[in-house]
């Protein structure tokens, strides 16, 4: 049977990470997947996570299954963290999912089952897996402009123009709440309000991917999109991830939140989300969600976690500005100051696929084919090499 199976192409992000790990060069630099790294190039376990784990180790009494919708304390905490006071808790149906990708898949399955004709609009560019997840759930995807032609700013007019002309009632629109992946270019509060207003007028459903809360400007500041959307839409979906802001990548912690019009609709929607989960992975893993719930429920741990989150955010910011400065000192003709307006882990370097390829093969510097770099992969130690090599690539 399997003779006819052909090999799938490597994943455009995680496949590069695999290639990096196999590369024997000692001076290689990994700017691929969106994983935070500290000044030593490590992805640390947060101190608050370790403390929560100690608490759990001594208090946990069972490894029995969680409910289909996961740990109740976690679901409630996730809803509060993402939605703040913008939405009454009784109008939210929440399920714990394996990471943000799991949340996207549950959302896509829910839409596919109940609104099969719905199309999902994605920004061009977007995280490549958005398209994969939506299409494999049977949904049609459409793309709208997002960036100006020089890829250094938002093309809001282009985005709104296409949505106005082609967006249909019942279509979903996948919006990156903050730290747009791959560009790092986010709408302002005013621009979010315009996006929310138009999509509400068109009868479209926002499907908000909230994977980087706290990595942009701050935990609360990064909720600006949610606040603006909640003002215009009484129904929307949020897919959140705790991989980055709690550093819990391998624990796979996420949540899918459906904001609806009434408590009784929330109950019915929850029952359908549970169906989607049951046929997919049955019920979610406990450990990571229990860590998040433990930290958020304890005022002391929560405060310490906010400090750790700020530390990660500040280091990324510092590395972005060091890179911009570093490029200046190489005498390179390209001014990278536009990177300073970008938020979160990613920046769009403007390097073309040939330059990206050359950096990987000749210099052992790995970044995503679109020219996206994970700024958190930059350290004081690898910065000079990185800047010199990028300048050399640009001169070619
Ligand atoms: C990324 O975009 O690098 C991260 O979201 C990791 C992933 O799963 O692709």
């Amino acid at each position: 049977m399997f003779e006819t199976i052909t090999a799938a192409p490597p994943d455009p992000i995680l496949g590069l990470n695999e290639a990096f790990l196999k590369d024997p060069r000692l001076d290689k630099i990994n700017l691929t997947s969106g994983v935070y790294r500290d000044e030593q190039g490590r992805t640390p376990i947060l101190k608050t996570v370790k403390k929560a784990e100690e608490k759990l180790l001594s208090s946990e009494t069972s490894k029995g299954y969680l409910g289909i919708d996961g740990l109740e304390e976690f679901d409630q905490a996730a809803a509060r963290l993402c939605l703040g006071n913008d939405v009454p808790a009784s109008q939210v149906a929440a399920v714990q999912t394996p990471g943000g990708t799991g949340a996207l898949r549950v959302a896509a399955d829910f839409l596919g089952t109940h609104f099969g004709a719905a199309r999902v609009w994605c920004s061009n560019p977007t995280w490549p897996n958005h398209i994969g997840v939506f299409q494999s759930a049977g949904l049609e995807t459409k793309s709208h402009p997002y960036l100006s032609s020089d890829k250094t700013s938002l093309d809001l007019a282009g985005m709104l123009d296409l949505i106005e002309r082609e967006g249909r009632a019942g279509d979903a629109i996948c919006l990156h709440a903050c730290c747009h992946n791959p560009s790092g270019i986010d709408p302002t509060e005013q621009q979010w309000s315009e996006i929310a207003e138009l999509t509400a007028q068109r009868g479209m459903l926002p499907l908000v991917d909230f994977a980087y809360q706290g990595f942009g400007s701050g935990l609360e500041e990064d909720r600006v999109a949610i606040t603006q959307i909640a003002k215009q839409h009484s129904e929307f979906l949020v897919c959140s991830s705790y991989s980055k802001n709690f550093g819990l990548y391998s624990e796979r912690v996420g949540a899918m939140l459906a904001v609806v019009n009434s408590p009784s609709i929330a109950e019915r929607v929850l029952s359908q989300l549970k169906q989607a989960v049951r046929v997919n992975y049955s019920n979610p893993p406990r450990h990571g969600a229990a860590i998040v719930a433990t930290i958020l429920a304890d005022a002391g741990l929560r405060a310490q976690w906010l400090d750790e989150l700020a530390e990660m955010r500040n280091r990324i910011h510092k590395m972005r500005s060091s890179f911009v400065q570093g490029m200046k000192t190489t005498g390179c003709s390209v001014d990278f100051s536009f990177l300073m307006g970008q938020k979160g882990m990613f920046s769009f370097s403007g390097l073309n696929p040939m330059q990206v390829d050359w950096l990987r093969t000749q210099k052992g510097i790995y970044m995503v084919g679109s020219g996206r770099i994970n700024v958190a992969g930059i350290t004081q130690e690898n910065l000079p090499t990185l800047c010199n090599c990028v300048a050399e690539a640009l001169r070619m």
Side-chain angles (χ1 to χ4, degrees), residues 11 13-14 32-35 101 127-129 181-182 211-212 244 249 252 345-346 368 372 374:
D11 182 81
I13 298 174
L14 299 185
T32 61
S33 70
V35 173
T101 310
W127 182 52
N129 212 27
N181 182 1
Y212 295 90
K244 334 278 166 166
Y249 304 88
R252 310 306 297 137
M345 239 191 273
F346 305 120
V368 178
R372 184 193 87 171
N374 173 11

Side-chain angles (χ1 to χ4, degrees), residues 54-75:
E54 276 162 25
K55 268 186 153 189
L56 289 169
L57 191 65
S58 57
S59 64
E60 265 180 351
T61 52
S62 170
K63 294 286 184 193
Y65 287 128
L66 291 182
I68 296 172
D69 48 348
L71 204 62
E72 200 183 335
E73 311 87 272
F74 168 81
D75 288 337

